[in-house]
Amino acid sequence: MFGLIGHLTSLDHAQLVARDLGYPEYADQGLDFWCSAPPQIVDTIKVTSATGQQIEGRYVESCFLPEMLAAKRIKAATRKIINAMAHAQKHGIDITALGGFSSIIFENFNLNQIQQVRNVTLEFERFTTGNTHTAYIICQQVVAAAEKLGINLSDATVAVCGATGDIGSAVCRWLIARTDIKELLLIARNQERIQQLQEELGCGVAMDLDTALPKADIVVWVASMAKGVEVDPNSLKRPCLMIDGGYPKNLDQHFNFDGVHVLKGGIVEHSLDIDWRIMQIVNMDVPGRQLFACFAEAMLLEFEKWYTNFSWGRNQITLEKMDMIGQASRRHGFRPLLDLNTALLVT
Ligand code: NDP
């Protein structure tokens, strides 16, 4: 059985959906209440592969909210993730994806040092960040969406916002090795990590966001921001392709400008309907078929019976593993979301 540990994008969002999920007592509560709320299994999932194989999974709501980081409620945030992992393990789930901020909190606060959660000894090999599949899907989106828009990669400047992160560094590695992009711009705050990445890649220009945006034909957004940024559309090239892989979204606005194309990044579409409720709640356009690539990674590991923490740690995603998960992704009927028309509006 596979599991997905997820969270909602904000307190407002959480209050809005609590009632839908059957928890009316959560709907009027503030951040304090969510800080003390325990994890819950709120959905049972059945997925059928394109091969005909069927698997079953559980969605675990961790009750983490990005506001906990903004309000410096770090202990609450870390407890949410570790408790959700213990909850998944206690329910016999073999492989669970740590969605959205879950894996970021796990890494940033060294939660691998907390292995004992009450009577549960966490077995970390039962968990995956899902970042290898997410990075693979974003790379496929760059190539296919650029082609659709007539952006020639060999003439293109690609900016990666969050370049030194787990997903960002894998995307950079892949773009350099597998495409002939003209220039790669690296955006992140910590300059030491940027320098390390440049040394590893043997290329890439460090740049702040405001300087990079007017130069970029393609922007990949994979920064771990609790709240999205606003971008002046007049500063962007036309055409400009922006692939927003953040959760919550890195772009905090609706775009409706000629030549500016926004694609939801790191999202896959399955070839068959999935029996679940949870994607309706996170506002997927086609909730029966569309999902986060990190969640799909847990499904792929279950389909393949690869019971291992396939994606783990930071900045260790290799091209070989991206190829391997990519093959499994195609085999079981997932494809990168490429619907630029419906994706013109960021939600
Ligand atoms: P990491 O924590 O590994 O990396 C985050 C990156 O963002 C770092 O390079 C960091 O560098 C940079 N960053 C953070 N804040 C800013 C800022 N204000 N301006 C510029 N750069 C910034 O995160 P992941 O790679 O694991 O995840 C990245 C994003 O992808 C997150 O939003 C996450 O929720 C989302 N995600 C989406 C998935 C999907 O299935 N679609 C799956 C998993 C994650 P620095 O701190 O030096 O600025």
Side-chain angles (χ1 to χ4, degrees):
M1 184 161 58
F2 70 91
L4 315 171
I5 291 179
H7 63 82
L8 299 167
T9 55
S10 67
L11 179 60
D12 285 350
H13 186 204
Q15 290 170 333
L16 207 72
V17 301
R19 221 177 288 278
D20 289 348
L21 283 175
Y23 296 90
E25 68 278 19
Y26 286 35
D28 303 319
Q29 303 285 348
L31 193 61
D32 280 345
F33 178 86
W34 287 84
C35 283
S36 58
Q40 310 267 358
I41 289 181
V42 295
D43 212 358
T44 298
I45 307 159
K46 283 201 184 75
V47 195
T48 306
S49 158
T51 66
Q53 189 187 346
Q54 279 197 333
I55 54 171
E56 201 178 303
R58 301 280 182 272
Y59 176 81
V60 182
E61 171 56 53
S62 69
C63 293
F64 163 80
L65 294 173
E67 281 92 342
M68 291 176 193
L69 294 181
K72 304 248 180 310
R73 307 285 294 266
I74 305 302
K75 200 156 174 220
T78 54
R79 244 189 8 243
K80 298 282 124 190
I81 306 311
I82 219 79
N83 285 344
M85 290 169 77
H87 198 66
Q89 189 174 312
K90 228 167 50 191
H91 283 79
I93 301 175
D94 300 293
I95 186 75
T96 298
L98 302 177
F101 264 82
S102 317
S103 72
I104 296 170
I105 291 168
F106 186 91
E107 288 299 331
N108 288 359
F109 299 104
N110 297 318
L111 299 190
N112 56 353
Q113 289 170 5
I114 309 176
Q115 215 167 345
Q116 196 63 36
V117 186
R118 291 176 297 279
N119 60 346
V120 178
T121 308
L122 285 178
E123 294 162 19
F124 294 135
E125 63 276 14
R126 287 171 177 251
F127 298 91
T128 185
T129 65
N131 285 350
T132 311
H133 190 226
T134 305
Y136 163 80
I137 290 296
I138 290 175
C139 291
Q140 299 304 308
Q141 288 179 306
V142 169
V143 173
E147 193 184 335
K148 235 177 162 177
L149 293 173
I151 299 175
N152 191 348
L153 284 183
S154 55
D155 299 324
T157 296
V158 181
V160 178
C161 180
T164 54
D166 197 35
I167 300 171
S169 62
V171 168
C172 291
R173 234 169 262 138
W174 193 94
L175 287 175
I176 294 301
R178 299 284 169 86
T179 70
D180 59 350
I181 57 167
K182 192 173 99 193
E183 191 164 36
L184 179 65
L185 309 181
L186 309 173
I187 305 160
R189 295 161 304 174
N190 183 315
Q191 295 307 304
E192 209 177 296
R193 284 208 291 266
I194 293 237
Q195 219 175 330
Q196 280 166 8
L197 181 65
Q198 282 172 318
E199 279 164 22
E200 183 204 319
L201 297 173
C203 63
V205 182
M207 213 169 269
D208 66 72
L209 185 60
D210 291 343
T211 317
L213 287 180
K215 298 182 191 300
D217 302 283
I218 300 172
V219 187
V220 175
W221 295 87
V222 278
S224 52
M225 298 194 254
K227 206 175 171 318
V229 293
E230 279 219 14
V231 168
D232 174 9
N234 296 316
S235 70
L236 300 172
K237 271 189 169 178
R238 309 288 166 94
C240 177
L241 166 64
M242 299 213 282
I243 301 183
D244 188 353
Y247 183 81
K249 292 277 163 230
N250 284 176
L251 289 168
D252 188 27
Q253 75 208 90
H254 290 250
F255 280 89
N256 204 356
F257 295 90
D258 219 18
V260 179
H261 305 274
V262 181
L263 180 59
K264 288 180 178 176
I267 305 291
V268 287
E269 188 160 308
H270 193 43
S271 50
L272 298 164
D273 282 345
I274 300 177
D275 184 8
W276 60 0
R277 290 185 303 163
I278 199 66
M279 287 301 130
Q280 208 145 8
I281 283 156
V282 291
N283 299 327
M284 288 290 166
D285 294 327
V286 186
R289 294 197 171 196
Q290 293 175 358
L291 61 148
F292 300 106
C294 63
F295 284 174
E297 182 171 306
M299 296 173 184
L300 293 170
L301 298 180
E302 174 73 24
F303 277 132
E304 296 290 338
K305 302 272 177 286
W306 293 339
Y307 292 134
T308 165
N309 44 2
F310 191 84
S311 309
W312 206 240
R314 273 297 180 261
N315 298 27
Q316 288 169 23
I317 297 175
T318 61
L319 300 179
E320 292 71 29
K321 281 185 118 174
M322 287 171 76
D323 289 342
M324 194 173 162
I325 204 75
Q327 277 162 16
S329 183
R330 293 191 300 275
R331 186 160 53 245
H332 293 288
F334 293 98
R335 63 168 190 87
L337 187 74
L338 274 179
D339 203 341
L340 281 159
N341 292 332
T342 60
L344 270 172
L345 298 181
V346 185
T347 53

